[in-house]
Amino acid sequence: MPDLQFQATVNGRKVARSAKPHQRLLDFLRDDLQLTGNKEGCGAGECGTCSVFVDGVLMKSCLMPVAKAQGAQIETIEALARTGELSVLQKAFYKAGASQCGYCIPGMVMAATAAIRANPFAGREEIKERLGGNICRCTGYQKIFDAVEMARDVQNGKLPASALSEIEAEQGDFIGRNVRRIDAPSKVSGALKYAGDMTMPHMLHVQVLRSPHAHARIVSIDTSAAEKLEGVEGVISSADVPGEDGFGVFVNDQPIMARGKVRYVGEAIAAVAAEDALTAMRAVEKIKVVYEQLPAIFDPDDAMHDGVPVLHDYAPDNVTKHIPIRVGDVEKGFAESDLVLEETYATQAIEHAYLEPEAGLAYVDPDGVVTVVSPSQNITHHRHMLARIIAKPIAKVRFIMSPVGGGFGGKEDMIYQGMLALLAMKTRRPVRLVFTREESIISTAKRHPSRTTLRMGLMRDGRIRALEMKMISDGGAYGLSTEGVMRKAAILAAGPYVIPNVKIDTIGVYTNNTPSGAFRSFGALQTEFATESMLDVAAERLGLDPFEIRRVNAMRDGATTHTKQKLGSVSLMRALDAAEKASAWEKGAPNSRGGNRNDLNRDDVRPPVSLGARFETADKQEAAE
Amino acid sequence: MLTCDEYLTPRTLDEAFAAMATHRGRYRVVAGATDTLPWARQGRAGDVNIPVLIDVSKIPEMNERGANDRRVRLGAAMPFQRFLDDANLGRAMPCMPRCAVWFADDQIRAQATIGGNIINASPAADGTPCLIAHDASVELAVARGGKISRRKVALDKFILGPSKTALEDGELLIAIECDALPGYGGSFEKVGHRRSLVISLVCLAVLVKLDAAGKKFEDVRLAIAGIGPVPQRLTQVEKFLRGTPIDAERLAQAADMPVELVASRTRQDYRRDVVRGFMMRGLINAARRAGADAQALTGELEAAYA
Ligand SMILES: Cc1cc2nc3c(=O)[nH]c(=O)nc-3n(C[C@H](O)[C@H](O)[C@H](O)COP(=O)(O)OP(=O)(O)OC[C@H]3O[C@@H](n4cnc5c(N)ncnc54)[C@H](O)[C@@H]3O)c2cc1C
Ligand code: FES
Ligand code: FES
């Protein structure tokens, strides 16, 4: 297999090296040149974290075989602040607060640089379109667009350069002010190292064998062929766990790797550490697993019937957690109501899609301390669980939290750190695992899908007399955060409203689907989606304005919640006022004004699905000339 | 993940055919590689090893492009971005720049080739409807006994179905030739889940030539994709409009005509609604860009479908 003799100019320096013929430009830059500022968020052209300039043209380096860049001038994010001073755009990103987790930011800065180079006068719409190939999951984009506009104006002399400089800390007064993020320069420059960017001397690469079945008994695992492969330094399965296997946020029902049976597609079964990722991948293909398929269950309602497959012995009814709340007497409340509504609501599984796929590095330090570096959102808890699992005293287990490239709750679970620890212990070498996007989606927690039946009784003036809700949630194959999510869902189900009679049941159920877990809002989304939707239905039925019906029911300062929490202050009324104003809501019942609003042709409102702002700029310029 | 043992970048057609002969049965051609790389990932083809990849994007003949008032010739390895960079091409193919802004994003567009888009033969490929509306044909070449022979096939005959074309083993797509349509107004309507990086659920290419007064359709060319296995030319509608004045009612009738063609595997009702709306919007946009008379194309009509 002849290697390529690759030559190029990278960030102003000549590079001549051999490269593997299948390498992508991104691999070459990150792995061979250690230019890790640009990231691999998806590997499929969808996210833009890998955007680099090739002969002055911005390209997605994950889609470019390295041979295509033969002889080219390549600039990565590291090129922009080569002198040590941030570029105008980087300064503007810093100033505008346009970076949060920062994982998208190097690519975003590159795309912004390309946009302003292509049209130094681009308007906001054109900027949006030109940045269309880059995804950010944290910022909501507005601050990014603000930053690009700011940089454009500084560059064009419309704003003074001082607009980008630091503001003095205002006498220690931070509340209500825009405070700069101190970590932003490291993010806009690409200098910050996420776990997948870190390397250690002598490091091995890990790949994981995952289950193709939703529910199956593991009859046998044969790793002998994998172990024989040259370059393979260690193979592990559940048999290698020295301590008490099992992790979770509330119940420790999940083994580090499948033990005896698999419960969802994508569950880890074995892992390999090898000299390079490709060898580890080839070794994974050589692991032979014999399965005996078991009937699987995919619907949480079905899972609660008698005689269906049971996922975990400790929960014969497949119920992970049931949270009941009772206040007053709902039947009496419904009897007193002028209007009783009943509806069912459903929400789907949602992937967090943080831009940083899971990654981690582990090693055993000279004192025998097993150390795991990963973007874990819960390192202290992980540390305690891991100590028990690998049968070490807590002082011999260390967790280091690497910068989290977005988590949103999805990185709370110790889904892969255990495998890393075991492989570091087995091989006595540093090991690193970097998930692909597909692996991240297939194997990690999702937002709980839910099915909610809701009954609401109201008086003619909009006051809610009674609310009865039952939410069934698909918790998937393992418990993870289900218990907490059910609790929060129940606590917040009736919303910030004064309701005398409340009956709530939230039930998390085991199925053979991908496990559900923490996701920002943590259960509130599912139940409040039902309650808030129902309030809009009620507003329609009662001919009330949707803001008014909420005001009528709003908890005020000093209120006691349905779970007996006393609230010192309640900001709901202010929030409603602000939302009403910001949305330019036309007063009236939701159904009082027909299907359409007629402001779609306003200058600041773009008609749906259009593109081509750059043509309009061009037309305007032509007209001006 | 895509792996290969060799990655070859021939500099001439002869070199390319020689490599294809040497590695017969073990190679795959790539141009921009923007379809090939994502294809070899988990959930699609998975991990794929192709012993030899032959990259044809550096062959000069496949990068040529030229347009005069009558004809356009595009090398197969030309990236879509050229439709935005090259004003001469934009004049000869008035809906292509509009198509190009919708194509992937500013970055992939610089790498994704027009030939790759045709050969990949996705029912939702964005480039193909415009080309079909230009009566495009493809020029194919094959080397036999050391001699390169060429043939031409009309593009709408060349695409046979999803991922299926009439390309034969050992053949390369060299160039695309089509009518130049300067003076036409062009529009390209597309919808997907978002604006960038999105596969068309429906896309429509519209080319319109008006009489000197800007009141009558002299020529109309329409092609649509995403509603069935292959892109199609809407000849019936073209005939129905050709030679008629711009008129709201007639436009509405025309817009209804292709609705019955929707034969996609999913979301048929939605697509029917979209087709009707796109026909109106596409014809109006193209007519406006062709210099339609303000009285013929009332502001009301424009506003309703902008
Ligand atoms: C994120 C993303 C977004 C995308 N967005 C769009 C979009 O909006 N609209 C759209 O239509 N497509 C889109 N695509 C698909 C893709 O970019 C296009 O289809 C592109 O035109 C393919 O061209 P290529 O040269 O990159 O393909 P390649 O992968 O190089 O080739 C594709 C196929 O064509 C064959 N081939 C290429 N050139 C020749 C030749 N000269 N002779 C013979 N065979 C040849 C190859 O063997 C291969 O089978 C997108 C892709 C990605 C990854
Ligand atoms: S676009 Fe290249 S990694 Fe996502
Ligand atoms: S800051 Fe953009 S993805 Fe986190």
Side-chain angles (χ1 to χ4, degrees):
Chain A
M1 182 201 297
D3 278 359
L4 285 166
Q5 289 314 309
F6 182 71
Q7 295 189 7
T9 306
V10 179
N11 297 344
R13 307 191 68 111
K14 287 240 174 308
V15 171
R17 291 194 180 213
S18 66
K20 296 272 173 259
H22 70 260
Q23 268 185 313
R24 304 164 302 169
L25 178 58
L26 179 65
D27 305 321
F28 181 78
L29 294 170
R30 286 177 53 82
D31 301 342
D32 295 23
L33 302 185
Q34 299 282 309
L35 292 168
T36 56
N38 284 101
K39 317 289 180 202
E40 178 164 358
C42 70
E46 301 283 355
C47 76
T49 54
C50 65
S51 304
V52 303
F53 286 103
V54 179
D55 287 331
V57 180
L58 197 67
M59 297 280 201
K60 291 188 159 167
S61 59
C62 72
L63 286 184
M64 182 172 280
V66 68
K68 278 191 176 290
Q70 185 72 270
Q73 297 269 348
I74 297 160
E75 290 171 279
T76 67
I77 182 72
E78 285 87 353
L80 296 187
R82 216 179 313 160
T83 58
E85 192 187 343
L86 297 179
S87 72
V88 169
L89 255 162
Q90 288 172 316
K91 284 182 190 164
F93 269 64
Y94 181 21
K95 172 80 183 199
S99 71
Q100 289 190 25
C101 83
Y103 202 79
C104 71
I105 294 300
M108 206 56 95
V109 168
M110 296 296 269
T113 304
I116 298 296
R117 279 187 196 166
N119 181 2
F121 303 96
R124 197 169 176 102
E125 277 309 312
E126 184 172 341
I127 291 169
K128 282 186 195 171
E129 292 183 12
R130 289 192 182 273
L131 265 52
N134 291 62
I135 290 175
C136 175
R137 287 286 292 162
C138 304
T139 64
Y141 300 102
Q142 299 313 314
K143 291 193 172 176
I144 292 175
F145 300 142
D146 291 347
V148 184
E149 286 193 297
M150 194 188 296
R152 172 200 64 201
D153 291 346
V154 168
Q155 206 169 287
N156 295 338
K158 265 182 139 180
L159 277 177
S162 61
L164 300 176
S165 60
E166 303 221 28
I167 336 161
E168 293 296 308
E170 314 212 3
Q171 276 117 47
D173 180 5
F174 294 110
I175 292 174
R177 302 197 185 280
N178 282 331
V179 178
R180 286 213 185 188
R181 305 175 72 99
I182 53 171
D183 59 352
S186 74
K187 290 172 174 170
V188 299
S189 64
L192 186 68
K193 297 273 185 198
Y194 297 82
D197 303 332
M198 296 176 187
T199 56
M200 286 183 82
H202 217 43
M203 182 180 88
L204 298 169
H205 298 262
V206 178
Q207 293 282 310
V208 179
L209 174 70
R210 299 187 176 281
S211 169
H213 301 298
H215 204 189
R217 199 170 73 79
I218 298 175
V219 179
S220 64
I221 304 178
D222 177 3
T223 58
S224 56
E227 272 161 78
K228 283 198 201 102
L229 204 66
E230 190 186 328
V232 170
E233 290 291 309
V235 183
I236 52 164
S237 63
S238 65
D240 293 273
V241 176
E244 193 189 312
D245 201 359
F247 67 92
V249 182
F250 294 90
V251 275
N252 294 326
D253 60 353
Q254 185 162 7
I256 296 296
M257 286 159 285
R259 178 173 292 276
K261 70 173 182 171
V262 291
R263 296 181 175 87
Y264 74 98
V265 172
E267 180 166 3
I269 295 173
V272 176
E275 297 291 348
D276 58 75
L278 192 57
T279 306
M281 215 162 97
R282 297 284 177 253
V284 162
E285 289 162 10
K286 288 189 186 299
I287 299 175
K288 288 191 206 77
V289 183
V290 179
Y291 301 95
E292 179 193 314
Q293 291 228 44
L294 298 171
I297 190 115
F298 300 107
D299 186 298
D301 280 307
D302 296 347
M304 287 185 293
H305 291 158
D306 287 341
V308 300
V310 170
L311 270 89
H312 297 271
D313 294 341
Y314 92 93
D317 53 357
N318 285 329
V319 170
T320 321
K321 194 70 193 177
H322 172 194
I323 303 287
I325 291 176
R326 304 284 182 268
V327 179
D329 176 351
V330 282
E331 286 313 327
K332 194 166 147 270
F334 288 128
E336 292 160 5
S337 299
D338 295 326
L339 173 71
V340 177
L341 297 168
E342 182 164 350
E343 289 285 348
T344 49
Y345 296 92
T347 65
Q348 78 279 31
I350 302 176
E351 159 63 28
H352 306 73
Y354 25 75
L355 268 201
E356 178 207 25
E358 288 73 3
L361 200 142
Y363 53 91
V364 182
D365 83 359
D367 295 324
V369 177
V370 177
T371 309
V372 181
V373 186
S374 71
S376 152
Q377 289 184 274
N378 210 345
I379 50 171
T380 306
H381 187 219
H382 288 186
R383 179 173 173 236
H384 284 270
M385 290 193 293
L386 187 66
R388 176 173 44 73
I389 292 168
I390 61 176
K392 292 233 183 246
I394 191 78
K396 291 291 180 198
V397 179
R398 187 175 178 207
F399 266 80
I400 298 174
M401 185 176 176
S402 57
V404 182
F408 318 130
K411 288 175 181 165
E412 285 189 10
D413 309 303
M414 201 179 72
I415 218 106
Y416 58 100
Q417 288 87 346
M419 291 188 280
L420 284 170
L422 292 173
L423 279 168
M425 288 158 67
K426 186 155 186 171
T427 61
R428 294 274 139 186
R429 285 174 65 176
V431 295
R432 190 182 77 182
L433 168 62
V434 182
F435 279 34
T436 61
R437 171 61 57 189
E438 290 86 343
E439 203 174 4
S440 173
I441 289 176
I442 200 177
S443 65
T444 66
K446 306 284 166 274
R447 188 191 287 288
H448 286 75
S450 71
R451 220 175 272 146
T452 299
T453 27
L454 174 59
R455 261 173 100 202
M456 192 184 269
L458 301 104
M459 306 309 290
R460 223 161 269 133
D461 62 2
R463 275 177 303 137
I464 311 170
R465 288 298 302 165
L467 177 145
E468 179 179 10
M469 180 189 287
K470 183 174 180 186
M471 177 183 81
I472 310 284
S473 257
D474 183 351
Y478 292 101
L480 303 183
S481 293
T482 291
E483 178 173 338
V485 171
M486 289 310 106
R487 187 162 287 133
K488 206 81 186 163
I491 291 171
L492 296 170
Y497 305 117
V498 179
I499 308 175
N501 306 294
V502 171
K503 180 179 177 202
I504 294 163
D505 294 276
T506 58
I507 303 169
V509 182
Y510 283 122
T511 67
N512 291 107
N513 292 323
T514 313
S516 304
F519 199 143
R520 50 168 47 169
S521 97
F522 213 70
L525 175 135
Q526 290 89 330
T527 48
E528 292 196 12
F529 168 66
T531 304
E532 294 298 331
S533 302
M534 195 68 126
L535 272 174
D536 288 338
V537 175
E540 234 177 78
R541 294 284 297 276
L542 295 169
L544 295 172
D545 180 278
F547 281 95
E548 274 325 301
I549 197 168
R550 288 169 172 86
R551 287 193 181 96
V552 165
N553 289 294
M555 286 181 181
R556 309 294 173 100
D557 293 359
T560 304
T561 68
H562 314 291
T563 45
K564 298 212 168 87
Q565 186 180 355
K566 195 125 171 90
L567 301 178
S569 69
V570 179
S571 54
L572 177 60
M573 294 299 271
R574 268 191 295 151
L576 285 171
D577 291 347
E580 184 170 11
K581 192 152 167 260
S583 62
W585 179 252
E586 297 168 21
K587 280 198 186 305
N591 52 345
S592 61
R593 68 182 76 69
N596 282 322
R597 294 179 60 144
N598 289 322
D599 53 5
L600 272 185
N601 293 315
R602 256 169 34 195
D603 268 357
D604 57 339
V605 178
R606 187 179 49 211
V609 282
S610 70
L611 258 182
R614 72 192 68 192
F615 298 124
E616 270 148 48
T617 327
D619 290 350
K620 271 184 209 151
Q621 266 166 1
E622 244 167 64
E625 273 158 20
Chain B
M1 179 176 164
L2 182 66
T3 51
C4 64
D5 305 329
E6 269 188 273
Y7 192 100
L8 303 175
T9 311
R11 301 285 152 169
T12 64
L13 260 190
D14 288 327
E15 270 180 46
F17 283 121
M20 288 160 71
T22 312
H23 300 290
R24 197 146 185 240
R26 310 172 52 236
Y27 74 87
R28 189 178 169 120
V29 168
V30 293
T34 63
D35 270 319
T36 307
L37 256 51
W39 160 79
R41 290 185 68 89
Q42 193 182 351
R44 296 183 64 193
D47 296 325
V48 180
N49 184 265
I50 297 170
V52 182
L53 289 175
I54 302 177
D55 182 334
V56 296
S57 69
K58 298 272 160 61
I59 298 171
E61 188 183 350
M62 289 170 64
N63 279 287
E64 281 167 8
R65 62 178 192 276
N68 57 31
D69 280 352
R70 290 187 42 252
R71 297 292 286 167
V72 179
R73 185 179 165 89
L74 308 168
M78 188 192 90
F80 273 85
Q81 177 62 25
R82 297 295 163 270
F83 291 115
L84 289 164
D85 299 341
D86 183 341
N88 191 37
L89 264 192
R91 257 192 302 278
M93 305 186 76
C95 72
M96 262 307 189
R98 306 271 163 189
C99 167
V101 280
W102 278 104
F103 195 97
D105 64 22
D106 278 45
Q107 303 166 51
I108 292 175
R109 196 184 297 143
Q111 191 177 330
T113 70
I114 185 150
N117 197 235
I118 292 173
I119 302 286
N120 191 53
S122 156
D126 286 325
T128 318
C130 293
L131 291 172
I132 287 181
H134 277 260
D135 280 333
S137 57
V138 290
E139 184 177 307
L140 309 162
V142 68
R144 279 206 196 87
K147 266 198 62 189
I148 297 178
S149 62
R150 302 186 185 228
R151 64 177 178 128
K152 263 192 194 165
V153 183
L155 180 57
D156 54 2
K157 300 270 162 13
F158 181 67
I159 295 177
L160 303 176
S163 312
K164 265 203 1 236
T165 67
L167 187 80
E168 282 172 15
D169 185 32
E171 241 178 355
L172 283 178
L173 171 57
I174 306 296
I176 295 101
E177 280 192 16
C178 68
D179 294 344
L181 301 172
Y184 280 61
S187 91
F188 185 77
E189 310 297 331
K190 165 170 171 173
V191 66
H193 293 297
R194 55 197 294 267
R195 295 195 300 168
S196 297
L197 297 176
V198 71
I199 295 175
S200 290
L201 269 163
V202 180
C203 64
L204 176 75
V206 185
L207 288 153
V208 158
K209 187 175 160 71
L210 304 178
D211 67 343
K215 291 189 170 160
K216 217 164 75 180
F217 290 114
E218 262 184 12
D219 190 19
V220 176
R221 298 184 177 210
L222 296 158
I224 194 162
I227 59 165
V230 290
Q232 8 184 344
R233 186 80 183 258
L234 303 176
T235 31
Q236 297 262 7
V237 193
E238 293 177 3
K239 260 195 224 131
F240 179 76
L241 288 173
R242 208 169 285 139
T244 68
I246 301 173
D247 165 73
E249 209 166 298
R250 201 162 176 91
L251 282 180
Q253 283 171 349
D256 272 337
M257 291 170 68
V259 169
E260 61 176 32
L261 297 176
V262 172
S264 53
R265 281 183 300 151
T266 57
R267 304 184 69 186
Q268 293 205 355
D269 284 346
Y270 172 74
R271 283 183 162 94
R272 283 190 193 101
D273 284 348
V274 169
V275 167
R276 197 176 289 112
F278 273 9
M279 287 290 291
M280 288 303 280
R281 190 155 112 179
L283 285 163
I284 289 166
N285 280 337
R288 178 163 41 81
R289 290 172 196 146
D293 176 73
Q295 262 148 24
L297 200 65
T298 58
E300 216 173 289
L301 195 56
E302 271 200 75
Y305 291 94

